[in-house]
Amino acid sequence: MVKPPSARSTIPGVGRLGLVESAAPDQLATLDWLNVDSVDLLWSLSRAANADLALRTLVRMRECLGEGWTELDAALRTDTGLRGRLFGVIGASSALGDHLAAEPGRWRQLRGDVVLPSRKELTDDLLAAVGAVPDASASESNLVYRAAVTGPEAVLALRTTYRDQMTVLAALDLAAIVENEPVLPYQAVGRHLSDMADAALTAALAVAVATCHPDEECPTRLAVIAMGKCGARELNYVSDVDVVFVAEPADARASRLAGELMRIGTSAFFEVDAALRPEGKRGELVRTLDSHVAYYKRWAKTWEFQALLKARPATGDLELGQRYVDALNPMVWTAAEREDFVPGVQAMRRRVEEMVPPELREREIKLGRGSLRDVEFAVQLLQLVHGRADESLRVQSTIDALTALAGGGYIGRDDAANLTASYEFLRLIEHRLQLQKLKRTHTLPPAEDEESLRWLARAAHMRPDGRLDSLGVLNAEIKRNAHRIRRLHVKLFYRPLLESVARLDKEALVLSPDAAVRQLAALGYVAPENALGHLKALTSGASRKGRIQALLLPTLLEWLSDTPDPDAGLLAYRRLSDAMVDADWYLRVLRDEGAVAQRLMIVLGSSAYIPDLLIKAPDALRLFADGPNGPRLLDATPEEVSRGILASSARYDDPARAVAAARSLRRHELARVASADVLGMLDVPQVCHALSSVWAAVLGAALDAVIRASEAERGEQAPASLAVIGMGRLGGFELGYGSDADVLFVCEPRPDVDETTAVKWANLVADRVRTLLGAPSTDPPLEVDTGLRPEGRNGPVVRTLASYQAYYRQWAQAWEVQALLRAHAVTGDADLGLRFLHMIDEFRYPDGGVSETAVREIRRIKARVDSERLPRGADPATHTKLGRGGLADIEWTVQLIQLRHAHEVPSLHNTSTLETLDAIGAAELLAETDVELLRESWLTATKARNALVLVRGKPTDQLPGPGRVLSAVAQVAGWPGGDANEFLDNYLRVTRRAKAVVERVFGS
């Protein structure tokens, strides 16, 4: 009966139901669903992956059922579970829809409370299909049956029953797409499909027994070993089932039985593939257990042991199958000891990837880039390398292995969770692709096939997210998960840790004392017993951190062994690890970021200066990683660091807290610069500029904080402006690690403020700044030296601009004028600082140059410095500061030329030694070769001086004699190969040649 128009108006339109075929209204009418009472049915139908396909299948079922349609129609209206299962499966799979339509009464297996049958129930069902009963040779552990039906009839019966079992599974798997039914977890689907495969192989064996031995008890003990995904119990809907046969005896009858099993199984269920057997398809189909063991001991390749990871007795003689697994399993876990094991597995993965045609690599979810195989190879490699010492990793399923790897600390929990999620997502897509036509495929439809992709999106339960429709969400998720898999695959599969661990013997892996001492001594540790104590402390207990340390240490020890002082490096690593015991990210970063661990070992084994900085500024360790633009140690610029120090300290009103904040950032910056220096990432000018910049910033932060506090205490503006003038290497922005900061303080009273009051206040501020910065600390010192001020240490610390001008005009000595050549305003009142520089220009760059009397005085002082200032016992040939051709020689030479010629060569108005040398060369005041000799000597001495501080951890200027320390200095200074003798010979040669230039300049 046709409903009145008012009722029909409430029925959803065909387009809104996701039905696009023009025949849909007629098909709905055939089902008598074009009425208000059928609205719920129609909405459920609309949620099927392909509503048109589901509707066509329903119409076919209605035609076949005839009067029986009434029962199905009534059940669909009341049983939402049935509705979800039936619509889900016939909307997602044309093959299973055909199966249901061919015998429409099968729908009844989907009604009511449907649960997955057990493995025994699956087996009994298939055996019953061919009337199989236990063979006379059967036992509790020997699953041998004899079928009553053979030939094509048996194949048809088995295929139909197996397809029924798959329909139930698929219906439960797909029901959640249509109705609010429970989601079947991926692992449950894979396990059930594997149980179905075991049952199918058991039934195929029953038919094979009846075929091959119709009149006698089965004479062969045949074990069927499941390999691959079936062995791991993570099978696909449509997949080859890889098997290996073990037989006793392995004669022609055993081969015929195995061959018949494969033929029947392939005809009825799935491709049964025995290509993973010894020698592959060229080898014997069946072997005895002893023959298998002999082959794997002598001939097996690496990939064959990798395949054995998933070996599992599936059917037949289970006791023989278990003996096979037990005999070969120990060989699996020693495979990683084979020469070039890790590179071999990595190369194999690359070859598999290259086999995929380029045009399919983005669509191939099994073998392409960022595919299922990437996850499986990475997981299996990690299992094989680390499973030797950790039996918890000896599991077969990929998901179980990821869980075990994360639990043991071999990969990060976040990485494991992300890989698991992406793997399960791609397996879901794979299942949906295969269900459509029950074809073995792993390839996504091409981008232009939008209809197929929309079907896949709905079958995978993709839903619009507000920005994208279901197809857009599918494409985005596929790209996101493939990218994530590829990134993590590269991170885990190619990290250097694996190869190092694979090379070590099992005793060393578990830190057997004797083995560890031997290995430590072989690696170059001078005190291996002490080193072993550090190792025991690092790996003590059963904690996760201890396990991760045990995993890391083989590689870390090897990297440390290539450093100048591995013993000190290991001690520093222990101290750092103890300090970082509560930092969860620390070991995770070392484990997952190979560059971080390797760089850290180089730094710790090379420098006594850096470890304490890292302990107090642990976040600097994160900079050891690589970023998108290269090493993150190079991300920050000196200007950015300076702004950060000033901004951080400005948040505090208390000067002590402000200076503490500045010190903290200085510590971080020193750790960054020193680490980059040791690792060869910064050249000498870059290091000097960075160190000078951070010194100036800390000085500025302290000055600002003291002035703020003083103004707050006084309740009024400061009585004077104050500027800090950098002198010496600070003025030239050429500080080293051990340099003090030479400065002058200059003030100018505010209008209407008494000069005496202003100067007194400025002196108090300067003293407070020096006190705060010079306070005792374990950090590298912050000494503010005002010894270059007028009248030296007897003069006032702060003077007014006018006072400085008057002093320099009337009293300045030659050495004081020389010192002004490097004066540069570094912090404080910028305008006052600039006016100070302009004021002193008339003294340091006098018209006509300095007088000959001044030049003679400078020569006299230089000679006195050479003879008297060198420390007692110092070697003048290798003292980097005051020795022959050292820093003082070069800088005095440059400054003498400036004093003589700066009035006529404006480019000499420069505080930097290197930049002034450029100007000297450009003005042809010295021969180009002489300029290059001076430059090379200055760079060589500065590099050596900085390396001395980095190696020894304290300021020093004297190069040591031949030995470990000199070797360390040579290596840190970047000398090729760290050859101490070559380094020293080069230093002596360069400085000697530079000294000849110095003597010519001072003698002319």
Side-chain angles (χ1 to χ4, degrees), residues 518-666:
R518 288 195 305 273
Q519 185 144 350
L520 289 166
L523 287 172
Y525 288 81
V526 175
E529 292 82 5
N530 293 344
L532 180 59
H534 300 321
L535 299 185
K536 288 180 177 179
L538 286 164
T539 59
S540 61
S543 69
R544 186 167 180 267
K545 285 185 171 64
R547 292 196 303 272
I548 297 176
Q549 288 283 17
L551 166 70
L552 290 170
L553 282 167
T555 301
L556 302 187
L557 292 172
E558 189 166 351
W559 283 332
L560 276 172
S561 70
D562 292 330
T563 65
D565 194 344
D567 295 84
L570 182 57
L571 173 59
Y573 178 67
R574 177 182 174 183
R575 291 175 56 223
L576 181 60
S577 296
D578 288 345
M580 300 288 285
V581 68
D582 295 324
D584 292 338
W585 59 268
Y586 167 64
L587 290 178
R588 183 172 67 247
V589 167
L590 294 184
R591 179 194 60 205
D592 296 343
E593 300 284 351
V596 174
Q598 186 169 19
R599 288 166 181 163
L600 178 62
M601 294 307 105
I602 294 171
V603 165
L604 296 182
S606 303
S607 172
Y609 179 86
I610 301 175
D612 285 337
L613 292 171
L614 290 176
I615 289 171
K616 295 173 184 175
D619 280 348
L621 280 171
R622 299 180 188 272
L623 302 181
F624 283 51
D626 286 322
N629 301 315
R632 293 185 60 206
L633 284 166
L634 304 181
D635 281 354
T637 65
E639 293 72 26
E640 291 170 342
V641 173
S642 295
R643 288 195 295 270
I645 290 173
L646 291 169
S648 176
S649 62
R651 292 197 293 266
Y652 300 97
D653 296 327
D654 178 14
R657 296 187 66 190
V659 170
R663 278 181 177 276
S664 175
L665 291 180
R666 172 184 182 255

Side-chain angles (χ1 to χ4, degrees), residues 628 968-969 991 999:
V969 171
T991 54
E999 289 175 342

Side-chain angles (χ1 to χ4, degrees), residues 483-513:
H483 174 74
R484 183 161 70 179
I485 286 174
R486 189 62 185 174
R487 177 177 61 82
L488 293 173
H489 168 74
V490 170
K491 175 180 176 181
L492 300 175
F493 196 62
Y494 294 106
R495 65 183 181 184
L497 173 68
L498 289 170
E499 194 167 354
S500 176
V501 175
R503 287 199 301 269
L504 297 178
D505 59 61
K506 187 175 179 181
E507 282 187 317
L509 275 175
V510 296
L511 295 177
S512 162

Side-chain angles (χ1 to χ4, degrees), residues 176-177 191 256 258 321 352 428 636 651 735 803 841 844 935:
I177 299 172
R191 288 174 184 144
R256 185 185 172 207
V352 170
L428 171 68
R651 292 197 293 266
L735 287 179
S803 176
D841 281 351
R844 57 181 177 174
R935 176 194 305 280

Side-chain angles (χ1 to χ4, degrees), residues 1-12 32-43 77:
M1 182 175 103
V2 179
K3 298 287 184 181
S6 59
R8 291 177 58 90
S9 65
T10 64
I11 301 174
D32 195 19
W33 284 5
L34 278 175
N35 51 67
V36 173
D37 294 338
S38 303
V39 168
D40 288 344
L41 288 172
L42 297 179
W43 280 121
R77 294 176 186 276

